Amino acid sequence: MVKICCIGAGYVGGPTMAVIALKCPSIEVAVVDISKSRIAAWNSDQLPIYEPGLDGVVKQCRGRNLFFSTDVEKHVFEADIVFVSVNTPTKTQGLGAGKAADLTYWESAARMIADVSKSDKIVVEKSTVPVKTAEAIEKILTHNSKGIKFQILSNPEFLAEGTAIQDLFNPDRVLIGGRETPEGQKAIQALKDVYSQWVPEERILTTNLWSAELSKLAANAFLAQRISSVNAMSALCEATGANVQQVSYSVGTDSRIGPKFLNASVGFGGSCFQKDILNLVYICECNGLPEVAEYWKQVIKINDYQKSRFVNRVVSSMFNTVSSKKIAILGFAFKKDTGDTRETPAIDVCQGLLGDKANLSIYDPQVTEDQIQRDLSMNKFDWDHPIHLQPTSPTTVKKVSVVWDAYEATKDAHGLCILTEWDEFKTLDYQRIFDNMQKPAFVFDGRNIVDADKLREIGFIVYSIGKPLDPWLKDMPAVA
Ligand code: NAI
């Protein structure tokens, strides 16, 4: 029986391994982590991450051919294939601070693999890593190998949170990069044999190691660039009276462009986009390509601009001050159908409003008060470390309350901001909300999900990103 071990039981390691276990009953899969609380949660009825369909998959396989454990060394020792899906934070200190990937967790995983292995193994990069990481990992493994042979593969993960299970069941492609040697090709084939149990052959792409590593960074950079492009357009739409939804629909019907990923919003978030672009920028700079680095940097700059533009809209519309006003925040996760708040635009928007002394009442169907307080008081990039190693802030943000109901959040509020596109926000009783708010009552829709005309009929003053401006807002420029 082939044995797989995955180091890192996070948003990637957990779902990907659960699906491999489901689709390959003849393979034994162990997911290991240094975080005891994470593993305990994977072994409980309350999984550590919310992902539609994940519960069912885990329940079918757990205890059969899927195991979650903190005994990292035992499972690595036993495995034929070791996936590494640990954190790859952005460095906050030293060379490359603010851009380069911090490979501390990766390196310690590699050293541990070399230490405990007594048989040949395939080591698979699942984490997103800078180009040429495989070379470094290979050196660590071979210099500590005691005669054991390791083959390194790059198998970046393209799943999107919120649709992870669907994406894993039916991926656009699976990418496997390896050495162009007979041993490398044999390792590629071994991993291909796993995926081909449910993924059609033509969707399994094989490349050299560096192409696979770079393709992951490039794919995320392209996706984020689409969002920044449409968000840049949204600012111009507001200035000219065009409607960004009409513009993106028209643009997206061109088959060369396509309709996906063209929704204007308060900005992109999630653990990967910003981190991967910063990483790409750093690699370009290190390779003497400052023009290329500048080009990609701009994608992040527009994203930051969009978030501060949103905050400025809120403040300038409400008589240039939100001091001591109650602002309801609907949605805190970076997108719907996930409880993940890493790099969510809600953090910057909330911090911007708190900077103007607002009182915030926050509601998200999947995010806990503890998580929101941590996010609002944590330093940039600190979130990307194993949970028990994250610095905890001694203070809670006092002007923030977290409630479990949208009506409670909006009661007596002066304004409400929609920051995540949860379906339930589309069908709220906005008349009831209006009746219980201070007047004039403002809605700032950061996801373009409400029917602005209907809300205006109720009496709200409505701002929708990239849409023709409410007369109220027209004379109040929101220049970031
Ligand atoms: P995560 O933070 O949810 O999980 C990483 C896990 O690794 C943590 O539970 C941590 O405790 C564990 N860990 C760290 N060092 C360890 C060690 N030495 N031994 C055992 N366990 C260790 O992170 P996530 O989101 O799963 O991401 C993992 C990697 O995959 C990152 O490189 C990320 O950029 C990449 N990625 C993430 C995607 C996403 O949608 N979240 C999508 C594609 C790639």
Side-chain angles (χ1 to χ4, degrees), residues 39-49 55 58-59 62:
I39 291 298
W42 280 111
N43 282 320
S44 76
D45 284 337
Q46 196 68 48
L47 301 184
I49 62 176
D55 231 39
V58 170
K59 279 190 184 135
R62 199 173 49 192

Side-chain angles (χ1 to χ4, degrees), residues 175-204:
L175 180 57
I176 305 173
R179 284 279 182 200
E180 288 155 313
T181 57
E183 298 79 20
Q185 295 303 305
K186 208 170 139 207
I188 289 179
Q189 190 56 46
L191 190 55
K192 227 176 148 179
D193 289 344
V194 174
Y195 284 108
S196 60
Q197 298 197 37
W198 80 97
V199 180
E201 191 87 0
E202 66 278 8
R203 289 203 213 154
I204 304 178

Side-chain angles (χ1 to χ4, degrees), residues 354 358-360 369 373 376 394-402:
L354 289 168
N359 295 325
L360 303 183
E369 172 162 15
Q373 285 289 355
L376 291 176
T395 53
T396 52
V397 183
K398 290 205 183 66
K399 288 165 92 63
V400 170
S401 65
V402 178

